[in-house]
């Protein structure tokens, strides 16, 4: 997990003139004028791996009246670093633009045609690739949606999986009439270059190191240390289209709890909207299911309700296809479980390379391991390019009891299922 210092400060080009262009476009009014804008960070540092987010409060005049609006602006960092390297070629931007402008629009149209008012995500108001890669969205916090800083309970997981099921079903039904759906192929495995593989290899090596510190788990260390150099080949195979895949859908690709907004009423989550479609691709539904089991569900939810939530997802998926009048063969629950088993190496990869950063908050890592952390100034004082400090922080996360509890249950299961063999 990394973040850039410029997540905390909007770039100079994000000014009144920029928002005037955005609002003139979205309101189709060339006479509109912005009178004032205030910009603040739109998320916590490190929340979004492949972008930086700002919230803009804009006052403007249009058609003889004064107005104000809140907007969410998504762009790439000005600072050099992994985020900028990942985004600078614009491929992820192009994928997300297609998703918002075409795919999600068609999914909503299909859902409405059968009386399903499910809302999948916010509206895109403006996008551009030149001179800067940028997207501007409605600020759904004004409709009562907010971020969460912890993994989801069973109720929340079912809301999220209900959305995912409709998404997958709609994509399968629309695939032949909206051909761009099948053309999306820039998922996690294809966009991550050598620097990301090096980072993930280092993370997996940390698990091998801490296994030596867990009594009774020392024998896993050598196996995991060997795994770290070989597992990327398995992961790339999982993300590739194969004839042996029982069925494909358009996967979200990054279905974790920080890529969602939550409407919470009296302490209970009522609705969830999905965001961040940068690495959506045509592929096995098992990718989204496995990814979300670890990146979205709380430990309690996954450990005690895994089969229940997979069955819940499948029932929603099949029911949606039936509502759409889908004429093709509807995959079975067994088909889904077979796909999940075939993609099992994704479980060992995610738990060893990503999971600590989902269950241990960035603030916890900062407070314990970053000498430059200041509660008053937060992340401003941290240098993202200090590789040694980043690794020291990460290792602290791997040593946390919450992570050890999860892995000490997972590792024997992975061993017995062959997910540690490459």
């Amino acid at each position: 997990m990394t973040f850039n210092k410029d997540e905390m400060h909007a770039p100079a080009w994000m000014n009144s003139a920029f928002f005037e262009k955005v609002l003139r476009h979205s309101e189709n009014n060339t006479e509109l004028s912005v009178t004032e804008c205030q910009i603040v960070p739109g998320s916590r540092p490190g929340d979004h791996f492949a972008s930086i987010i700002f919230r803009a409060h804009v006052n403007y005049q249009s058609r003889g009246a004064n107005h104000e609006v809140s907007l969410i602006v998504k762009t790439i960092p000005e600072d050099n670093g992994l985020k900028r390297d990942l985004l600078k070629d614009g491929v992820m931007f192009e994928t997300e633009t297609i998703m918002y402008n075409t795919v999600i629009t068609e999914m909503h149209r299909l859902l409405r045609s059968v009386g399903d008012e499910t809302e999948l995500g916010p509206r895109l108001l403006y996008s551009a690739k030149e001179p800067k890669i940028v997207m501007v969205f409605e600020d759904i916090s004004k409709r009562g949606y907010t971020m969460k800083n912890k993994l989801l309970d069973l109720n929340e997981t079912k809301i999220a999986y209900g959305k995912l099921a409709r998404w997958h079903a709609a994509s399968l039904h629309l695939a032949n009439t909206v051909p761009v759906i099948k053309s999306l192929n820039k998922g996690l495995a294809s966009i991550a270059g050598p620097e990301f593989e090096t980072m993930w290899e280092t993370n997996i090596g940390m698990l091998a190191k801490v296994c030596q510190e867990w009594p009774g788990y020392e024998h896993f260390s050598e196996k995991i240390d060997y795994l770290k150099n070989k597992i990327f080949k398995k992961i790339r195979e999982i993300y590739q289209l194969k004839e042996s895949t029982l069925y494909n859908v358009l996967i979200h690709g990054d279905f974790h709890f920080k890529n969602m907004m939550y409407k919470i009423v009296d302490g209970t989550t009522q609705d969830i909207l999905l965001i961040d479609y940068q690495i959506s691709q045509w592929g096995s539904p098992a990718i989204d299911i496995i990814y979300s089991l670890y990146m979205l569900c709380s430990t309690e939810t996954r450990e005690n309700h895994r089969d229940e939530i997979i069955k819940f997802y499948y029932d929603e998926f099949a029911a949606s296809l039936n509502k759409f009048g889908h004429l093709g063969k509807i995959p079975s629950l067994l088909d889904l479980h077979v796909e999940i088993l075939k993609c099992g190496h994704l479980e060992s990869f995610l738990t060893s390379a990503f999971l600590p950063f989902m269950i241990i908050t960035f603030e916890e890592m900062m407070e314990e391991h970053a000498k430059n952390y200041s509660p008053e100034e937060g992340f401003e004082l941290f240098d993202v390019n200090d590789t040694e400090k980043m690794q020291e922080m990460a290792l602290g996360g791997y040593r946390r009891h919450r992570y050890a509890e999860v892995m000490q249950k997972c590792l024997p299961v992975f061993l017995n299922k062959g997910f540690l063999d490459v």
Side-chain angles (χ1 to χ4, degrees):
M1 166 102 41
T2 63
F3 64 91
N4 296 68
K5 289 182 179 180
D6 57 5
E7 290 185 57
M8 305 304 294
H9 300 287
W13 56 265
M14 199 177 293
N15 53 24
S16 293
F18 169 75
F19 289 109
E20 198 164 84
K21 180 195 299 184
V22 169
L23 291 170
R24 285 180 174 183
H25 171 82
S26 65
E27 297 206 2
N28 193 27
N29 177 13
T30 58
E31 302 301 317
L32 180 150
S33 62
V34 168
T35 56
E36 183 182 7
C37 67
Q38 296 180 335
I39 307 171
V40 297
S43 63
R44 301 183 312 159
D47 271 356
H48 298 285
F49 184 72
S51 58
I52 56 174
I53 309 289
F54 297 96
R55 174 174 282 110
H57 302 282
V58 183
N59 296 314
Y60 64 100
Q61 293 180 337
S62 178
R63 299 183 173 93
N66 293 323
H67 305 270
E68 61 180 79
V69 67
S70 183
L71 305 171
I72 296 297
V73 186
K74 184 175 188 176
T75 186
I76 69 172
E78 302 286 336
D79 270 356
N80 291 326
L82 285 177
K83 282 190 176 186
R84 182 171 176 82
D85 291 343
L86 187 62
L87 287 163
K88 64 183 179 182
D89 65 1
V91 171
M92 295 172 69
F93 167 84
E94 290 172 2
T95 295
E96 190 160 33
T97 302
I98 291 169
M99 289 297 301
Y100 274 107
N101 287 336
T102 302
V103 178
I104 301 301
T105 299
E106 288 298 317
M107 287 181 173
H108 280 150
R109 180 198 59 76
L110 175 62
L111 290 164
R112 303 298 177 269
S113 74
V114 297
D116 189 331
E117 296 299 317
T118 296
E119 185 179 6
L120 297 172
R123 290 185 301 122
L124 175 67
L125 304 177
Y126 175 86
S127 65
K129 190 173 181 179
E130 297 292 344
K132 300 291 183 180
I133 292 176
V134 64
M135 307 179 81
V136 182
F137 304 89
E138 64 168 325
D139 182 1
I140 57 177
S141 70
K142 299 304 178 182
R143 292 199 276 138
Y145 288 87
T146 186
M147 301 290 290
K148 280 178 64 71
N149 61 2
K150 63 179 181 179
L151 295 157
L152 308 192
D153 62 24
L154 180 60
N155 169 65
E156 293 166 331
T157 296
K158 286 186 173 181
I159 296 173
Y161 271 46
K163 296 288 178 89
L164 183 64
R166 287 163 175 78
W167 169 304
H168 283 178
S171 72
L172 182 59
H173 185 72
L174 291 169
N176 292 327
T177 56
V178 185
V180 71
I181 289 175
K182 286 186 175 181
S183 74
L184 296 172
N185 61 0
K186 301 299 182 183
L188 178 67
S190 64
I191 62 171
E195 56 281 326
F196 285 91
E197 291 193 7
T198 298
M199 179 177 67
W200 296 332
E201 183 179 318
T202 298
N203 289 352
I204 298 170
M206 291 181 191
L207 175 58
K209 181 180 179 67
V210 298
C211 279
Q212 295 176 346
E213 303 168 4
W214 298 339
Y217 287 82
E218 297 89 346
H219 62 288
F220 283 102
S221 180
E222 184 177 352
K223 200 166 191 68
I224 293 169
D225 197 55
Y226 179 77
L227 181 77
K228 73 181 183 183
N229 299 310
K230 307 291 183 181
I231 195 168
F232 303 115
K233 181 176 184 293
K234 287 284 188 181
I235 299 306
R236 283 190 288 269
E237 290 172 355
I238 288 170
Y239 278 82
Q240 287 172 355
L241 288 178
K242 300 181 292 295
E243 291 185 5
S244 61
T245 302
L246 297 176
Y247 68 103
N248 290 303
V249 297
L250 183 66
I251 63 170
H252 180 281
D254 203 9
F255 201 66
H256 67 74
F257 77 98
K258 294 179 183 179
N259 277 340
M260 300 175 185
M261 297 282 285
Y262 305 81
K263 179 172 282 187
I264 303 172
V265 180
D266 296 329
T268 300
T269 298
Q270 304 290 336
D271 190 33
I272 295 174
L273 293 184
L274 315 181
I275 58 176
D276 202 336
Y277 312 143
Q278 294 179 330
I279 54 176
S280 297
Q281 73 165 84
W282 188 249
S284 172
I287 295 172
D288 272 345
I289 297 297
I290 293 172
Y291 196 94
S292 56
L293 283 172
Y294 295 98
M295 305 290 105
L296 178 144
C297 302
S298 70
T299 300
E300 188 277 334
T301 300
R302 182 183 62 256
E303 291 183 351
N304 296 328
H305 303 282
R306 175 174 172 136
D307 287 343
E308 176 186 347
I309 59 180
I310 292 173
K311 175 68 161 57
F312 173 84
Y313 157 87
Y314 174 77
D315 288 345
E316 296 290 308
F317 170 77
S320 294
L321 285 175
N322 281 317
K323 279 186 183 180
F324 300 152
H326 188 66
L327 297 178
K329 177 183 179 294
I330 295 180
S332 69
L333 177 59
L334 179 59
D335 290 336
L336 177 59
H337 276 290
V338 169
E339 281 299 308
I340 291 171
L341 184 61
K342 287 164 60 179
C343 296
H345 280 86
L346 187 56
E347 297 198 43
S348 53
F349 171 68
L350 292 172
T351 53
S352 59
F354 287 9
L355 187 60
F357 310 105
M358 292 290 112
I359 61 178
I360 311 299
T361 69
F362 209 59
E363 288 89 347
E364 288 176 305
M365 292 187 184
M366 289 291 289
E367 289 170 356
E368 189 168 334
H369 296 281
K371 293 178 182 178
N372 289 332
Y373 177 78
S374 162
E376 293 76 24
E377 299 186 54
F379 299 91
E380 184 72 13
L381 299 178
F382 186 74
D383 183 3
V384 72
N385 295 313
D386 188 340
T387 303
E388 183 178 343
K389 184 59 64 179
M390 287 293 294
Q391 292 181 4
E392 178 186 339
M393 287 173 52
L395 184 58
Y398 280 83
R399 283 180 166 140
R400 287 274 182 149
H401 180 66
R402 290 203 304 277
Y403 178 67
E405 277 190 320
V406 172
M407 292 310 295
Q408 287 171 11
K409 292 177 183 177
C410 285
L411 286 174
V413 175
F414 295 164
L415 179 68
N416 293 332
K417 287 187 175 182
F419 298 165
L420 301 181
D421 296 329
V422 288

